[in-house]
Amino acid sequence: MAVFLKKEGWWILAWDALKQEAPHVFFNMQRAVLGKVLYQERIFNCKGHQNEFIRPKLPTVEYEAYKIEHSLLGNQIDQRYVEIQQLCYTNGKNLMGCPWTVHFPRLCTDFRNRGIPLLNRVRFLVLAEQKVKVSITDITQIDIEFWQMLLEKNIVISNDGEWYFISQKVQWYNSLSEKLAKKNQSRISKL
């Protein structure tokens, strides 16, 4: 059973009474954009003391970009990536050149949507470009953290209770190499 509390976020209590192990609480559960579940873990020993373990570090956004390429062209092709790549191609886009926007925020609390958060975000952007208005159904397909970021950056705006996607604020790239080169250029120009 998973429970959501405002302070701890999503958490699960696990206890194997047959093995007489101490109860484990997995809390502050979040998903990285590539789908990995990250959490903090607390183990309660018989004296009531708690040992807390910190969640692992997130991979870099560059790693995530290479992971997309590997999932499409590597030894073990992931059909979920292929499906989104086909959607991108149909709409004149390339998944490997997806906007940097989809990599942020780095963590989300989306456990209701199936699939990989990054791919859900890409699907949303591609489909939102085709429409005049964004529907509530479209919004429920992505994580709330990404939706809030789109609102904050004015990529999605509200007008008379309707939501509109501003596609000019999202930059797609032709390839992974172009995407990485543009990121490096902007990094150099900031120095």
Side-chain angles (χ1 to χ4, degrees):
M1 174 177 88
V3 177
F4 183 81
L5 295 174
K6 197 170 193 171
K7 184 178 173 187
E8 288 86 11
W10 285 103
W11 64 272
I12 296 174
L13 174 65
W15 185 13
D16 188 346
L18 296 176
K19 291 185 179 178
Q20 296 182 344
E21 291 180 356
H24 293 244
V25 175
F26 302 94
F27 65 100
N28 197 15
M29 297 177 65
Q30 297 176 309
R31 292 178 73 191
V33 294
L34 292 178
K36 183 175 182 174
V37 176
L38 302 173
Y39 54 86
Q40 289 179 280
E41 179 180 2
R42 190 174 290 152
I43 301 173
F44 295 88
N45 62 26
C46 60
K47 296 177 184 173
H49 294 108
Q50 304 173 15
N51 298 321
E52 194 168 303
F53 301 93
I54 305 303
R55 67 174 162 229
K57 285 185 175 183
L58 283 172
T60 64
V61 289
E62 291 84 0
Y63 170 83
E64 291 170 358
Y66 283 116
K67 177 72 174 157
I68 294 170
E69 180 182 55
H70 181 75
S71 296
L72 286 168
L73 305 172
N75 295 339
Q76 297 177 335
I77 295 173
D78 189 327
Q79 283 306 121
R80 298 171 296 184
Y81 287 81
V82 172
E83 176 188 320
I84 299 300
Q85 177 70 314
Q86 288 171 341
L87 176 67
C88 288
Y89 274 164
T90 303
N91 290 280
K93 311 248 182 270
N94 182 354
L95 175 58
M96 290 183 281
C98 65
W100 285 112
T101 306
V102 300
H103 295 272
F104 300 96
R106 308 282 286 129
L107 294 171
C108 67
T109 55
D110 185 10
F111 289 96
R112 71 181 188 282
N113 287 320
R114 299 186 78 152
I116 298 167
L118 183 132
L119 296 180
N120 293 341
R121 294 171 178 188
V122 169
R123 179 186 295 115
F124 173 83
L125 293 179
V126 170
L127 296 176
E129 269 189 20
Q130 300 172 359
K131 302 177 176 186
V132 175
K133 295 183 229 175
V134 176
S135 72
I136 194 70
T137 306
D138 298 328
I139 297 167
T140 61
Q141 301 303 310
I142 56 172
D143 55 277
I144 191 71
E145 291 83 0
F146 184 63
W147 175 251
Q148 289 171 341
M149 188 272 305
L150 293 175
L151 291 172
E152 289 168 8
K153 302 251 185 215
N154 293 318
I155 296 170
V156 173
I157 59 170
S158 177
N159 187 9
D160 294 328
E162 303 285 342
W163 299 103
Y164 297 92
F165 177 69
I166 311 300
S167 61
Q168 297 83 0
K169 293 201 171 199
V170 177
Q171 182 178 2
W172 288 81
Y173 304 94
N174 294 319
S175 65
L176 175 60
S177 58
E178 180 186 342
K179 180 177 176 176
L180 293 171
K182 295 283 184 175
K183 186 172 191 303
N184 290 334
Q185 282 178 350
S186 68
R187 203 180 274 163
I188 290 169
S189 67
K190 288 180 183 177
L191 297 176

